[in-house]
């Protein structure tokens, strides 16, 4: 998001089921968008599967309507994370046993359904068929796994939220801390 040639390049690795990531999103959205709109800060978000398979459905659905809808939909998923993530408890012992024999797209579709994510995106203009197609997209699942592996290997990501500013790891986990580092580096 923002000017690709911005002086300050902020990168976040986040997990859609990470409470700290949700808190960062809720606290930062307005001010971060303002900083990005100045042209001095660019923001990149990379999905990181910190909780494994349960992170996949939310990320697949946030990407379902294309790049321009990714940030607004992700922000909504984070803002309402507690309500949909609490539905993970509806995954039964039988579901868990069945998942042992399922492909990743089948597991993603099952979890997306159980967590209410299909209904969540349906109320935001994504059809049920489109949502199910996104949840079953093996190439997209493989891409999420590859991004997670690359983040671990190349950037040393071991948890989320994890931030880099101009390629250097930020010792920060909250918006207040990240904003302070951006201001120190010249953001206004």
């Amino acid at each position: 998001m923002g000017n690709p040639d911005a002086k300050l390049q902020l990168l976040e690795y986040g997990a859609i089921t990470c409470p700290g990531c949700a808190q960062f999103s809720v606290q930062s959205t307005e001010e971060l968008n303002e900083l990005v709109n100045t042209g001095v800060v660019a923001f990149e978000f990379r999905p990181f599967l910190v909780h494994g398979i349960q992170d996949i459905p939310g990320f697949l659905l946030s990407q379902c309507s294309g790049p321009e809808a990714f940030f607004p939909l992700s922000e909504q998923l984070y803002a309402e994370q507690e309500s949909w993530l609490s539905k993970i408890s509806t995954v039964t012992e039988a579901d868990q046993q069945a998942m042992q024999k399922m492909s990743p797209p089948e597991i993603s579709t099952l979890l997306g359904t159980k967590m209410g994510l299909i209904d969540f995106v349906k109320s935001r203009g994504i059809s049920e068929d489109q949502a199910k197609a996104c949840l079953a997209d093996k190439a997209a699942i493989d891409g999420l796994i590859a991004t997670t592996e690359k983040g671990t290997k190349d950037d040393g990501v071991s948890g989320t939220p994890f931030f880099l500013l101009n390629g250097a790891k930020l010792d920060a986990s909250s918006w207040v801390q990240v904003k302070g580092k951006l201001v120190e580096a010249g953001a206004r």
Side-chain angles (χ1 to χ4, degrees), residues 136-188:
D137 186 342
K138 175 116 172 51
I141 293 170
D142 291 344
L144 291 170
I145 293 167
T147 299
T148 299
E149 290 171 350
K150 186 172 176 13
T152 301
K153 181 178 169 246
D154 294 352
D155 293 322
V157 181
S158 59
T160 57
F162 183 95
F163 300 96
L164 298 172
L165 181 57
N166 292 342
K169 182 181 186 263
L170 282 184
D171 185 23
S173 61
S174 71
W175 171 239
V176 170
Q177 293 168 326
V178 170
K179 181 182 173 187
K181 301 286 186 186
L182 289 170
V183 169
E184 283 175 25
R188 299 282 175 249

Side-chain angles (χ1 to χ4, degrees), residues 21 24 51 61 84-85 106 124 127 134:
C21 300
F24 178 82
H51 296 119
L61 292 171
W84 60 261
L85 188 55
E106 291 169 327
R124 287 153 177 86
S127 73
C134 290

